[in-house]
Amino acid sequence: MIVDCAVYRHGHRTEGPEDLSDALDAARAAGGFVWIGLHEPSEREFELVTHEFGLHPLAVEDALKAHQRPKLEVYDDSLFMVLKPVVYEPESDTVSAGEVMVFVGDAFVVTVRHGEGAPLAAVRRRLEEEPEMLGKGPTSVLYAISDAVVDHYLDVATELQTDLEELEAEVFQPDGGGSRNTASRIYTFKRQVLEFRRATGPLVPPLTRLAGTGQFGSGVPFVDDKARPFFRDVNDHLARVNESVESLDRLVSDILNAHLAQMSVRQNDDMRKISAWAAMAAVPTMIAGIYGMNFDHMPELHWLWSYPVVIVVMAVLEVLLYRQFKRRGWL
């Protein structure tokens, strides 16, 4: 469905013609642009937009089906960019990713949103409050969307860092490794970091290209070359996010290994205790087994003090074994 449609002239919003073709012609004649926002459109709903703005069929297919990696593609009549905004849900401590597709032409911007994590409404309001920025044309919209998505990445990275510190405290608490669900929580957290990385990692080449750095020294069609410093700033923020993601991934792997090591140590301690108690139980069992044999001729069998002496010997051996195991930390 079409969420919003407006014509912008000199940075100010104006109500243009309802017909998309007339709106585009009016925007071009006035030196402005049309910005159309759609939310999970059907193929039939998107067909009119495709026809009026001459969008490439491959990009249209990606926009309709979603589930795309972040990327930047240049076609004859438009620029197509995919971003994956993420949302942190504090109730369940999970990260979910949506998708935003942006078509940029000479005098139009078409945004297609999938999921609930895209901050497009806030971006539109902020831009409309800054006519000077909005007056830069479609490039300003692409920059503002990229900046909003990457800035929210920083917030999500901070939330994940807090969750990781809680996991770390749980693993290294005095009782030795937390509850039985600790390993499951660590693994679930690692999956959230992986979901986050799928959104941030592939976005580096598109932003590097828009910034005109590295091997992408030439300009990008439909993007003003004067906007390169702004995209470089966004790219710098993304680099910080990716560094945080790498750090989170390494730390959660280390925490998982530490937890497994603690579990192994605890199991070894339990086995030592079991072995110590088994050794203590074996001594009286052995003595009782020897004197329980049915032979007529056995030493001390008919001696008056045989029974109390054997009991005392058993008790003395048990005390000696207990003190020895206690000294070595087995009990």
Side-chain angles (χ1 to χ4, degrees), residues 204-205 207-218 228 232 235:
V204 173
L207 282 181
T208 302
R209 187 174 182 183
L210 289 172
T213 58
Q215 59 179 331
F216 304 108
S218 60
R228 286 187 178 186
R232 280 200 294 268
N235 200 23

Side-chain angles (χ1 to χ4, degrees), residues 108-124:
F108 68 86
V109 177
V110 177
T111 55
V112 182
R113 176 168 61 92
H114 291 268
E116 300 299 329
L120 296 186
V123 170
R124 188 186 288 262

